[in-house]
Amino acid sequence: MTAPDRTTRTTEVRVTDYHTAGEPFRIVAEGLPPAPGDTVAERCATAIGPGGSGTAPRPGPLDGLRRLLVQEPRGHAGMYGGFVVPPDDDGAHLGVLFWHKDGFSTACGHGTIALAAWAVDTGRVPAGGDDRDVPVRIDVPSGRVTATVHRSADRTTGVTFRNVPARVTARKVPVATGLGIVEVDLAHAGACYASLSARDLGLTVEKAKLPELTRVGREIRTALAGHPATWHPDGPLLSGVYGVILHEELPDTPEGPRQRNVTVFADGQIDRSPCGSGTSARLALLADEGRLKEGQVLTHESVVGTVFTGRAVPGGDPVEGLVTEVTGTAHRTGEAHFTLDPDDALGAGFLL
């Protein structure tokens, strides 16, 4: 595979597409140009480039491939994906650089679920027989996560991933929006998430309200830029608000709380799934509030009605944060061989 360069030669790239609870995940596993760095985190920082915003066009080969695959006519503004890269060491099966329409991200729960399913489905990580759980260790920019791929009758039936520790960093931060001043909670779970009740804005979490939800999510993310509670002790790569979670309460299940949410991330991109790492952030906040008791399960619904379940793992380190596990399903939707004709005036494409 070559980096996008429509002036000299045809670009070719092969991908495998999955969806996790409705959210796409496009996997590129072979032929990537070199990704400088000794660790996945270093490769991610190189791919993001100076400033770390992930919103400006970049000339680098990895970002050129990202734009080719996320932009129309090969992708769309809701596309998400990952480049498979070497892990940090032999303790993991693979590494991944997550990307979306505006750049690269440090965590992606739905992508972790899809990637683990793909690794077992393709034999990259051997299943070893029917009806067994298969561990898949993945190095992501925020650390090492372990996914457990559940199998039955020689098929993948679900995936549970154990995230990096999640911790609450601020409560009731006032933020001014076009719909009024709201109080926002902040939690880090591989990336920083701002959470608030949609009803505090007079909104409900439903598809008809997506324009308003998206607009206020962008406002909150912008307003919190540089807030000290969004800073991560490991440095700028993990700092800053990645996503804004607008949630609403639903009747509890016998297992515990139930909520519906929409997560607005990057520059107004909407997560079709309940957001995997965002679910970890919600678990940390609910546990801190006393809403999530030991042994209880959060049923977390998306704006399209799909579901993740999440729980806190007993015995976590209170300093490092809450260890969480999130379960969902991923399904392969297809494979593609994309090309970029050097005579194509649209080049890598466009976003609407």
Side-chain angles (χ1 to χ4, degrees), residues 270-314:
I270 294 295
D271 199 329
R272 277 73 172 162
S273 82
C275 188
S277 48
T279 298
S280 289
R282 292 298 306 146
L283 288 165
L285 289 165
L286 288 169
D288 184 64
E289 294 167 10
R291 287 277 325 280
L292 186 77
K293 310 297 184 185
E294 184 172 345
Q296 285 191 317
V297 171
L298 168 66
T299 301
H300 213 202
E301 297 186 9
S302 74
V303 71
V304 300
T306 54
V307 176
F308 287 159
T309 57
R311 72 181 191 98
V313 178

Side-chain angles (χ1 to χ4, degrees), residues 23-46:
E23 177 74 356
F25 193 73
R26 178 162 284 174
I27 300 168
V28 185
E30 298 177 352
L32 286 165
D38 295 328
T39 65
V40 171
E42 289 178 4
R43 294 185 186 100
C44 182
T46 301

Side-chain angles (χ1 to χ4, degrees), residues 12-351:
E12 299 185 4
V13 55
R14 295 182 182 275
V15 306
T16 301
D17 282 358
Y18 273 68
H19 84 84
T20 305
E23 177 74 356
F25 193 73
R26 178 162 284 174
I27 300 168
V28 185
E30 298 177 352
L32 286 165
D38 295 328
T39 65
V40 171
E42 289 178 4
R43 294 185 186 100
C44 182
T46 301
I48 290 174
S53 67
T55 59
R58 305 180 195 285
L62 280 177
D63 198 67
L65 284 175
R66 178 195 64 80
R67 287 185 283 115
L68 179 73
L69 295 173
V70 76
Q71 295 183 151
E72 296 186 48
R74 300 165 190 84
H76 53 81
M79 179 56 69
Y80 212 113
F83 297 137
V84 178
V85 297
D88 293 353
D89 55 51
D90 292 340
H93 294 99
L94 64 151
V96 60
L97 301 180
F98 298 120
W99 46 262
H100 48 73
K101 75 177 181 70
D102 292 313
F104 293 82
S105 58
T106 58
C108 177
H110 93 271
T112 298
I113 290 172
L115 199 61
W118 166 83
V120 174
D121 291 346
T122 59
R124 188 178 185 119
V125 176
D130 292 351
D131 301 326
R132 67 183 297 262
D133 289 341
V134 184
V136 181
R137 294 176 294 279
I138 304 172
D139 283 334
V140 307
S142 56
R144 180 163 294 171
V145 297
T146 300
T148 301
V149 179
H150 310 298
R151 304 273 291 177
S152 178
D154 203 29
R155 293 179 60 85
T156 295
T157 58
V159 178
T160 298
F161 80 94
R162 180 170 292 192
N163 200 8
V164 299
R167 58 189 181 86
V168 177
T169 57
R171 286 283 193 179
K172 298 185 177 181
V173 178
V175 177
T177 76
L179 296 176
I181 297 175
V182 291
E183 292 183 332
V184 173
D185 298 324
L186 295 170
H188 282 267
C192 181
Y193 289 90
S195 286
L196 72 156
S197 170
R199 293 192 180 277
D200 289 349
L201 296 159
L203 298 174
T204 53
V205 179
E206 57 182 318
K207 286 184 270 188
K209 300 295 185 182
L210 280 176
E212 295 98 322
L213 293 164
T214 302
R215 184 169 56 251
V216 77
R218 294 176 70 182
E219 288 178 346
I220 291 169
R221 185 170 182 264
T222 300
L224 290 171
H227 191 283
T230 70
W231 180 261
H232 193 280
D234 288 341
L237 180 65
L238 298 175
S239 299
V241 174
Y242 171 66
V244 177
I245 303 173
L246 298 112
H247 61 85
E248 67 178 36
E249 297 292 337
L250 299 174
D252 287 358
T253 73
E255 289 76 33
R258 178 172 165 239
Q259 296 182 337
R260 180 184 298 119
N261 90 91
V262 62
T263 299
V264 182
F265 64 94
D267 187 20
Q269 192 163 340
I270 294 295
D271 199 329
R272 277 73 172 162
S273 82
C275 188
S277 48
T279 298
S280 289
R282 292 298 306 146
L283 288 165
L285 289 165
L286 288 169
D288 184 64
E289 294 167 10
R291 287 277 325 280
L292 186 77
K293 310 297 184 185
E294 184 172 345
Q296 285 191 317
V297 171
L298 168 66
T299 301
H300 213 202
E301 297 186 9
S302 74
V303 71
V304 300
T306 54
V307 176
F308 287 159
T309 57
R311 72 181 191 98
V313 178
D317 186 334
V319 176
E320 291 294 324
L322 190 74
V323 178
T324 63
E325 290 184 340
V326 178
T327 300
T329 58
H331 300 276
R332 187 169 68 91
T333 57
E335 297 179 355
H337 178 190
F338 290 115
T339 61
L340 173 57
D341 188 320
D343 296 323
D344 185 351
L346 281 178
F350 58 89
L351 288 174

